[in-house]
């Protein structure tokens, strides 16, 4: 019931994205990355794709027994435009064009894999609820304090390192989406009584890229001293803060959707 509460609440937040791609693309493709039992995919298909003339949903899951179970359920329900792939997200075969990318509780760097696929395949909308962010906390543990600053006190103790690492991971994810042209909203998914992994990152692609966000991201990586998988795969490297002030003074890119040719 807790999972159902999360999924149902997420449907309301996804409605604008689904209505947008269904209005602009004759055959929108939704990818549910790290789908598990595909509960999210089944509810989304029932609400948005079942009554539509076209459009498909691809569920990607690394555990074959879950994939087979979901396939059987889709066949029983007659959800003929649900597709399934058994693969880890960093080795999956993604379609050339993705319109909506979803990742609900994809563990640790699997969320990064989903975001990389969304950016590389031009997803119009992205919605991720990150889970078990451990990579950056491990990088913070290996660091040595630099200079007289007190930043390292934020992650001196293991508990704080996990929490700070998790927070920084998601800040970097949101800023990376902005750098690659997305308008980002970060909010709570449901009440904390339903899930402790509760941070929802929503992205809508509005332009090709955002230089100001890119400069800020590079400066943040340098200041904190981490390089998560997401930025490594996308070729974003830490850089000193020189030029950040100039970038911040630049006007924001126009907040208008990027129109792409339907596929």
């Amino acid at each position: 019931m807790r999972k159902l509460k999360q999924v149902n609440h997420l449907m309301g937040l996804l409605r604008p994205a689904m209505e947008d791609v269904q209005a602009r693309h004759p055959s929108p493709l939704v990818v549910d990355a790290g789908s598990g039992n595909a509960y999210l995919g089944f509810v989304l298909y029932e609400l948005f794709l079942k009554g539509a003339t076209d459009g498909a949903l691809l569920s990607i899951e690394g555990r074959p027994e879950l994939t087979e179970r979901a396939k059987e359920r889709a066949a029983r329900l007659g959800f003929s435009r649900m597709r399934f792939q058994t693969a880890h997200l960093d080795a999956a075969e993604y379609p050339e064009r993705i319109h909506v990318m979803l990742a609900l509780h994809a563990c640790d760097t699997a969320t990064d894999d989903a975001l990389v696929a969304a950016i590389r395949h031009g997803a119009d909308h992205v919605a991720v609820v990150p889970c078990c962010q451990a990579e950056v906390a491990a990088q913070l543990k290996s660091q040595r304090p630099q200079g007289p600053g007190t930043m390292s006190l934020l992650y001196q103790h293991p508990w704080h390192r996990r929490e700070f690492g998790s927070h920084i991971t998601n800040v970097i994810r949101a800023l990376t989406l902005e750098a690659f042209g997305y308008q980002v909203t970060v909010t709570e998914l449901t009440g904390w009584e339903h899930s402790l992994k509760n941070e929802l990152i929503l992205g809508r692609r509005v332009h090709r890229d955002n230089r100001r966000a890119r400069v800020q991201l590079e400066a943040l990586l340098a200041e904190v001293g981490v390089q998560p998988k997401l930025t490594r795969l996308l070729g974003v490297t830490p850089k000193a803060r020189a030029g950040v002030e100039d970038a911040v003074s630049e006007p924001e890119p126009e907040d208008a959707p990027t129109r792409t040719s339907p596929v």
Side-chain angles (χ1 to χ4, degrees), residues 69-255:
R69 190 183 307 161
K71 280 183 179 180
E72 294 171 2
R73 186 180 296 116
R76 290 199 308 270
L77 293 171
F79 288 4
S80 59
R81 285 176 280 122
M82 281 191 78
R83 308 169 188 168
F84 300 90
Q85 181 182 155
T86 301
H88 294 293
L89 298 186
D90 58 355
E93 295 183 6
Y94 293 95
E96 181 179 349
R97 181 74 163 89
I98 295 171
H99 298 97
V100 180
M101 170 63 81
L102 310 174
L104 177 58
H105 296 158
C107 192
D108 197 15
T109 58
T111 295
D112 291 338
D113 295 323
L115 291 174
V116 169
I119 291 169
R120 288 178 174 173
H121 294 269
D124 298 86
H125 295 272
V126 176
V128 298
V129 181
C131 181
C132 305
Q133 302 94 317
E135 184 194 32
V136 166
Q139 293 181 12
L140 291 172
K141 183 178 181 180
S142 66
Q143 283 191 37
R144 295 290 181 268
Q146 301 293 324
T150 57
M151 175 68 75
S152 63
L153 295 177
L154 295 174
Y155 50 86
Q156 180 178 1
H157 299 288
W159 179 276
H160 293 156
R161 188 158 52 244
R162 288 193 297 269
E163 295 299 310
F164 183 70
S166 175
H167 178 65
I168 286 295
T169 298
N170 290 341
V171 169
I172 290 172
R173 285 166 172 164
L175 196 51
T176 299
L177 284 173
E178 290 182 13
F180 282 88
Y182 288 81
Q183 182 184 66
V184 175
T185 300
V186 181
T187 187
E188 181 184 69
L189 175 58
T190 56
W192 293 105
E193 69 274 17
H194 298 292
S195 175
L196 295 177
K197 307 299 183 180
N198 205 29
E199 183 172 344
L200 172 64
I201 301 173
L202 297 169
R204 178 173 67 96
R205 192 159 61 103
V206 295
H207 39 260
R208 289 187 178 276
D209 52 40
N210 182 331
R211 180 178 177 272
R212 182 175 73 169
R214 176 68 175 250
V215 172
Q216 291 173 331
L217 174 60
E218 292 169 345
L220 177 62
L221 293 173
E223 185 172 352
V224 181
V226 298
Q227 182 75 336
K229 185 178 184 180
L230 175 63
T231 57
R232 295 197 309 271
L233 291 178
L234 293 173
V236 181
T237 57
K239 290 185 181 178
R241 294 187 62 83
V244 173
E245 291 75 10
D246 292 338
V248 170
S249 67
E250 292 182 353
E252 286 277 11
E254 291 186 10
D255 183 12

Side-chain angles (χ1 to χ4, degrees), residues 8-68:
N8 281 340
H9 186 68
L10 183 55
M11 289 303 103
L13 296 171
L14 290 177
R15 181 174 294 277
M18 291 301 302
E19 291 178 347
D20 175 57
V21 296
Q22 287 182 312
R24 294 196 293 114
H25 303 286
S27 184
L29 177 64
V30 180
V31 174
D32 181 10
S35 56
N37 286 293
Y39 296 139
L40 173 60
F42 281 107
V43 174
L44 189 145
Y45 191 99
E46 172 72 26
L47 292 179
F48 299 106
L49 296 178
K50 182 179 178 180
T53 57
D54 212 337
L57 187 143
L58 171 62
S59 294
I60 303 175
E61 169 57 43
R63 291 163 289 184
E65 67 277 12
L66 298 187
T67 301
E68 290 305 313

